[in-house]
Amino acid sequence: MENLNFKIIYRFLGITAILNGLFMWMAVPFSVYFEEDQALGILNAGIITITLGALLFFFNKPTSKNIQTKEGYLIVTLGWLMLTSTGMLPYLLTGSIPSVTDAFFETISGYSTTGSSILKDIESMPKGILFWRSATHWIGGMGIIVLTIAILPLLGIGGMQLFMAEAPGPSADKLHPRITDTAKRLWLIYVLLTVVEFLLLKLAGMTWFDAINHSMATVSTGGFSTKNASIAHWNGMPFIQYIIIFFMFVAGTNFVLTYYALKGEVNKVLRNEEFKYYMFSILGISLIIAVAIIFFPDTNLQTSIHHPMIYGKMESAVRHSLFSVISVVTTTGFVSADFTMWSFFVTGIFFSLFFVGGSAGSTSGGVKIVRHIVMLKNSFLEFKKSLHPNAIIPVRYDGKAVSQSIVFNILSFFILYMLIFIVGTVILAFFGLDIKSALGACASSLGNIGPAIGSVSPVDNFSHLSTGAKWFCSFLMLIGRLELFTVLILLTPFFWRKN
């Protein structure tokens, strides 16, 4: 452990806490505007967080400002725990969520952009707290770590190791050779999308407060809503749902491709292999589900949160199926209808979508589509290699050969992901969940999805889980958000050995 530069780790955690505290203060004006009593609690939460951050920052001056790989993994994981530990203070100090377990769960669900909730009556919550709840999504979506990378050069600290630990997926696209410029461009796109969606939702009929919260939750693929019924609250206003469908789709797309699209280089987007799989998979599966709920309805099951869907209305069926598929694939978790109430066939499709995920380089969670593409191609190549054992046939992605090390990394990731899912389901069953609910809660938490199946379906929440189950789901959300290796490597003995 002596080879770890702890001073630079503490210094970085200090920056993270200071930024988090400043974000907290953004919720204070909302409490003041709506004349709520929680403004002082949120203000104090920000003061405590900023003070803690300042102490960590100013009393830890490292002799070396280079961040090595080990420090990178530690900073990202501890940074997320710092965000969650301080981020739950507004809930606790205002009494909105008095339980530490529930406050931690709600907070890490926000920062990990999972969207699972323990709140039974969201609409009764103070507006300032609801804004902070949505803000945790927005902060976590792109990663406050990436934001801080843009600031690190001012401190003379390099940030490439942090970026790799924060975004460890197979996508290596960069918008600019310098990592700090990449971070700035990503955040510019992120802010731009949030503002545009806010304006469109306001024009479509949402209140300005609902529009702000839902734009933050959509662009971050988080899924926290200000309404108990989520987006089903606006089932009578299809335009609002189409706006959210579009922005969920964009948020689940690689942000590098979004950058190219905004520059007018649409051909680069359309030629991208992952984007084509992403788009056509969503359209194809949505069509299958729409056909299923139109022509093969389960008349014994209710099909919408507010009212039964009229099967004769093609547009309604297509909209709800498209909304639900994009919501699950991008791991946003918004709900326009309870998909578990359509039919058991459709529920099975949605459960399989829990393991898909959005594009690499997006704010979505899950396995990611690019990994599925590489695994499928590698599997088909095994057939060719069986016929031609001496042939050297590389896996090709976007016309380029994928190195064996990346293929092995992806296969290892998927095996580990499924192993954690199996073991996690058993552990949740041990905590008292029935097997269907345990499967759903584990898949949802690990994939950062939100709504699941069983007793954690789109019309239910996680409030009934035991204390142990909530803490375990919180752990699953963390490792899922940081793509397994970043966190789990800290649990290995060789990580802590001297070089």
Side-chain angles (χ1 to χ4, degrees):
M1 284 174 50
E2 292 178 6
N3 58 333
L4 287 170
N5 188 347
F6 280 104
K7 285 194 174 182
I8 203 167
I9 294 171
Y10 295 145
R11 198 169 174 83
F12 186 88
L13 293 179
I15 299 169
T16 304
I18 291 169
L19 290 172
N20 204 32
L22 292 173
F23 273 114
M24 284 179 200
W25 282 348
M26 291 174 62
V28 174
F30 289 88
S31 283
V32 174
Y33 178 82
F34 289 103
E35 298 180 349
E36 297 170 340
D37 299 330
Q38 287 75 22
L40 185 60
I42 298 171
L43 184 68
N44 288 336
I47 292 172
I48 293 170
T49 304
I50 291 172
T51 303
L52 173 63
L55 291 173
L56 284 169
F57 181 80
F58 289 110
F59 287 95
N60 288 285
K61 293 186 178 180
T63 52
S64 171
K65 293 185 177 180
N66 290 321
I67 300 175
Q68 303 302 321
T69 305
K70 281 189 174 184
E71 281 94 1
Y73 284 116
L74 261 177
I75 286 170
V76 172
T77 303
L78 293 178
W80 231 261
L81 291 174
M82 170 66 80
L83 285 174
T84 306
S85 301
T86 55
M88 67 179 179
L89 290 177
Y91 297 128
L92 295 173
L93 296 184
T94 60
S96 302
I97 304 179
S99 163
V100 172
T101 297
D102 286 348
F104 189 91
F105 181 95
E106 196 78 11
T107 308
I108 200 165
S109 179
Y111 285 118
S112 64
T113 71
T114 302
S116 301
S117 181
I118 51 82
L119 297 178
K120 295 179 180 178
D121 187 3
I122 296 167
E123 293 172 37
S124 68
M125 296 291 287
K127 295 292 193 295
I129 290 297
L130 286 180
F131 176 82
W132 172 242
R133 183 170 173 260
S134 300
T136 59
H137 270 344
W138 200 76
I139 297 165
M142 179 58 67
I144 200 171
I145 310 300
V146 177
L147 172 64
T148 311
I149 287 170
I151 297 172
L152 284 178
L154 301 175
L155 311 174
I157 300 173
M160 175 60 81
Q161 291 86 348
L162 296 183
F163 190 87
M164 294 306 293
E166 166 67 8
S171 176
D173 292 322
K174 296 288 184 291
L175 308 184
H176 192 277
R178 290 184 60 193
I179 194 68
T180 52
D181 290 323
T182 295
K184 290 172 186 175
R185 281 165 173 76
L186 290 174
W187 267 94
L188 282 173
I189 295 169
Y190 197 62
V191 172
L192 177 65
L193 291 174
T194 306
V195 171
V196 172
E197 187 185 359
F198 161 70
L199 294 173
L200 290 175
L201 289 176
K202 181 69 178 71
L203 290 171
M206 271 192 183
T207 66
W208 65 269
F209 181 76
D210 289 335
I212 288 174
N213 283 273
H214 287 89
S215 60
M216 288 195 294
T218 306
V219 174
S220 64
T221 64
F224 277 156
S225 176
T226 55
K227 303 298 181 184
N228 292 326
S230 189
I231 309 303
H233 181 85
W234 292 278
N235 271 352
M237 304 173 75
F239 190 49
I240 285 177
Q241 296 184 345
Y242 281 119
I243 291 170
I244 293 175
I245 284 172
F246 173 77
F247 280 94
M248 283 195 296
F249 181 83
V250 173
T253 304
N254 190 324
F255 267 59
V256 176
L257 297 182
T258 305
Y259 175 77
Y260 288 139
L262 291 173
K263 283 182 64 180
E265 300 178 38
V266 181
N267 284 337
K268 281 190 176 182
V269 180
L270 298 178
R271 287 199 304 265
N272 182 266
E273 193 169 351
E274 184 183 33
F275 180 77
K276 287 188 282 189
Y277 273 88
Y278 172 63
M279 180 173 64
F280 289 117
S281 296
I282 286 174
L283 293 175
I285 295 168
S286 299
L287 181 61
I288 292 170
I289 292 174
V291 168
I293 62 179
I294 293 170
F295 297 106
F296 305 99
D298 189 332
T299 54
N300 295 317
L301 297 176
Q302 181 184 348
T303 60
S304 176
I305 288 176
H306 280 315
H307 50 265
M309 183 182 296
I310 300 172
Y311 287 109
K313 291 190 175 180
M314 184 87 62
E315 182 276 332
S316 180
V318 170
R319 171 163 42 91
H320 285 297
S321 61
L322 183 62
F323 187 102
S324 299
V325 169
I326 291 181
S327 181
V328 171
V329 169
T330 62
T331 70
T332 305
F334 277 143
V335 177
S336 70
D338 185 358
F339 55 76
T340 64
M341 291 289 118
W342 284 339
S343 73
F344 294 111
F345 168 72
V346 170
T347 301
I349 293 177
F350 275 106
F351 183 71
S352 65
L353 292 179
F354 288 177
F355 301 92
V356 175
S359 305
S362 71
T363 57
S364 61
V367 176
K368 302 291 194 305
I369 288 173
V370 65
R371 287 192 176 99
H372 288 288
I373 295 172
V374 172
M375 285 190 295
L376 283 171
K377 288 190 172 187
N378 186 67
S379 298
F380 283 120
L381 279 182
E382 289 302 317
F383 290 115
K384 286 187 178 180
K385 290 176 182 177
S386 297
L387 294 173
H388 309 285
N390 296 323
I392 300 174
I393 314 170
V395 175
R396 304 191 75 82
Y397 173 74
D398 259 347
K400 300 174 184 176
V402 180
S403 68
Q404 279 295 100
S405 62
I406 291 178
V407 174
F408 290 151
N409 178 280
I410 289 172
L411 292 173
S412 300
F413 176 90
F414 188 73
I415 292 169
L416 184 59
Y417 192 96
M418 295 310 296
L419 181 63
I420 293 171
F421 166 67
I422 294 168
V423 174
T425 300
V426 173
I427 292 173
L428 288 174
F430 174 78
F431 281 122
L433 273 71
D434 62 89
I435 190 63
K436 186 177 179 181
S437 301
L439 287 165
C442 186
S444 172
S445 299
L446 188 59
N448 305 132
I449 295 162
I453 59 174
S455 64
V456 288
S457 72
V459 293
D460 299 299
N461 64 20
F462 286 67
S463 61
H464 64 282
L465 268 63
S466 66
T467 299
K470 287 174 183 173
W471 283 106
F472 183 69
C473 284
S474 298
F475 172 70
L476 291 177
M477 289 183 223
L478 177 66
I479 63 173
R481 175 61 180 87
L482 299 180
E483 303 207 348
L484 308 187
F485 294 120
T486 304
V487 179
L488 296 181
I489 196 172
L490 304 183
L491 305 179
T492 59
F494 53 79
F495 178 87
W496 301 99
R497 290 175 190 155
K498 298 177 185 178
N499 291 335

